[in-house]
Amino acid sequence: MRLRDLFTADVVKLDLQSEAKDDLLKELVALLGLDEKSEAILFKTLKRRENLGSTGIGRGIAIPHCRSLVVNRLRLAYGRKPSGVDFNAIDGAPVHNFFLIVAPPLEVSNQYLPVLGKIAQFAKDSEVPERLLDLDTAEQFLELLDRKAP
Amino acid sequence: MTALTVDAQLTALLEIQDMRAKVRELREDSGVGRLVEADHFGIDPEVAADTLEVRIAELVAELALPIRRRYERIAGHVHRVVVPVIGGICYGCFVSVPTATAGEMDPNAELQSCEHCGRFLYFLP
């Protein structure tokens, strides 16, 4: 399973507008193109997960994630906020890069947790935070995944 | 405590179901989900699961009495009280949902249950 195959350019946004954590989660959820009710549920579920402990794993990267009934397959999105947002990250630093992962409660392919682990590994690569901030296009993001998470 | 509106009941049931899924993941001994949350995100799985269970109980208490009773009855013997309907199939029992139910303009505008297994339904496009 390659991370590259799970993203498409339309779920990549390199210029997130939100300035606050909640707004940013909503902006990420909007990338998935769900209906209004489903977006609201998904936001609540993500928020509830964040309340257990931030998904900001440090070095400017957060991985908001949850399982939810409102999706029928594994969905991922990536957003970048170059100026950063306070996300209560583990290192206290602002977060610039957000990987959203949402999966249905039952998933035939069972990819959710392996993907979550793989993105966490990808984020730990010492070069990745800087490379992400250098991106100009969604295609470059996909190429980076190809190189760093083959 | 004020009971939730019909629409809010479905929302609450979906939230409850999502939280129940997370609790199962966190409580599963040697489960990958439990390890991922602890190792990558520094979460204490037991504390997190306890926190969610408190919130689940609060939300269940806010359900209207008939819905709460049905919820408790179903939750007593299956993990998934609310299930998606995809392509007209109930993903709780995998039996077709009647067209009249599935075909409404917005089938999620009202709280609906599977005639076969009794689970609450959430219709996905």
Side-chain angles (χ1 to χ4, degrees):
Chain A
M1 171 211 35
R2 299 186 321 155
L3 289 182
R4 164 69 178 84
D5 297 334
L6 301 171
F7 285 90
T8 49
D10 60 326
V11 294
V12 175
K13 188 172 182 182
L14 300 179
D15 58 346
L16 293 170
Q17 301 297 307
S18 306
E19 301 288 347
K21 184 171 184 175
D22 285 3
D23 294 338
L24 196 133
L25 285 173
K26 288 176 185 169
E27 195 175 354
L28 284 173
V29 166
L31 292 174
L32 301 182
L34 305 173
D35 63 89
E36 198 175 326
K37 189 193 290 268
S38 297
E39 281 190 359
I41 300 279
L42 188 50
F43 167 71
K44 281 186 176 183
T45 302
L46 287 167
K47 175 89 174 146
R48 210 161 313 277
R49 168 59 190 80
E50 290 297 325
N51 288 342
L52 298 175
S54 176
T55 59
I57 58 172
R59 300 167 62 240
I61 293 176
I63 313 174
H65 59 275
C66 69
R67 285 192 188 273
S68 179
L69 267 171
V70 303
V71 296
N72 59 10
R73 61 183 169 85
L74 181 67
R75 302 292 304 273
L76 288 91
Y78 167 74
R80 187 185 66 182
K81 173 82 178 169
S83 58
V85 166
D86 178 7
F87 214 71
N88 307 317
I90 206 162
D91 58 0
V95 174
H96 307 274
N97 301 290
F98 301 86
F99 293 85
L100 173 67
I101 310 175
V102 185
L106 285 184
E107 190 198 354
V108 177
S109 60
N110 210 18
Q111 286 182 310
Y112 169 62
L113 292 170
V115 166
L116 182 52
K118 196 156 187 177
I119 289 181
Q121 282 303 123
F122 168 75
K124 283 179 182 167
D125 184 307
S126 59
E127 287 185 0
V128 161
E130 198 177 330
R131 293 280 173 272
L132 288 170
L133 289 177
D134 284 343
L135 299 173
D136 292 318
T137 65
E139 286 68 28
Q140 288 177 352
F141 169 73
L142 300 176
E143 288 164 12
L144 181 66
L145 288 178
D146 246 346
R147 283 205 308 277
K148 294 289 186 181
Chain B
M1 188 177 296
T2 310
L4 301 167
T5 63
V6 171
D7 192 52
Q9 307 270 353
L10 177 59
T11 302
L13 284 166
L14 288 165
E15 276 189 76
I16 290 166
Q17 189 57 52
D18 285 351
M19 284 192 284
R20 282 168 59 99
K22 188 68 186 178
V23 168
R24 272 202 311 283
E25 190 176 284
L26 290 166
R27 296 247 192 251
E28 194 183 351
D29 283 339
S30 71
V32 178
R34 183 181 167 93
L35 292 174
V36 166
E37 289 292 5
D39 291 352
H40 292 300
F41 301 99
I43 296 284
D44 181 326
E46 290 304 320
V47 171
D50 288 347
T51 303
L52 289 175
E53 285 189 335
V54 168
R55 184 59 190 140
I56 289 170
E58 288 170 356
L59 266 181
V60 169
E62 290 175 26
L63 295 170
L65 190 57
I67 293 169
R68 185 162 78 235
R69 283 188 175 144
R70 193 195 306 169
Y71 168 86
E72 286 167 346
R73 193 167 60 244
I74 301 169
H77 64 275
V78 294
H79 283 313
R80 297 183 305 133
V81 181
V82 190
V83 293
V85 176
I86 304 171
I89 303 291
C90 165
Y91 268 60
C93 62
F94 298 96
V95 167
S96 287
V97 171
T99 314
T101 304
E104 290 175 22
M105 191 75 82
D106 177 8
N108 292 319
E110 287 183 25
L111 195 53
Q112 300 198 50
S113 303
C114 175
E115 289 181 359
H116 188 254
C117 68
R119 292 176 173 94
F120 295 105
L121 301 174
Y122 186 67
F123 292 79
L124 290 176

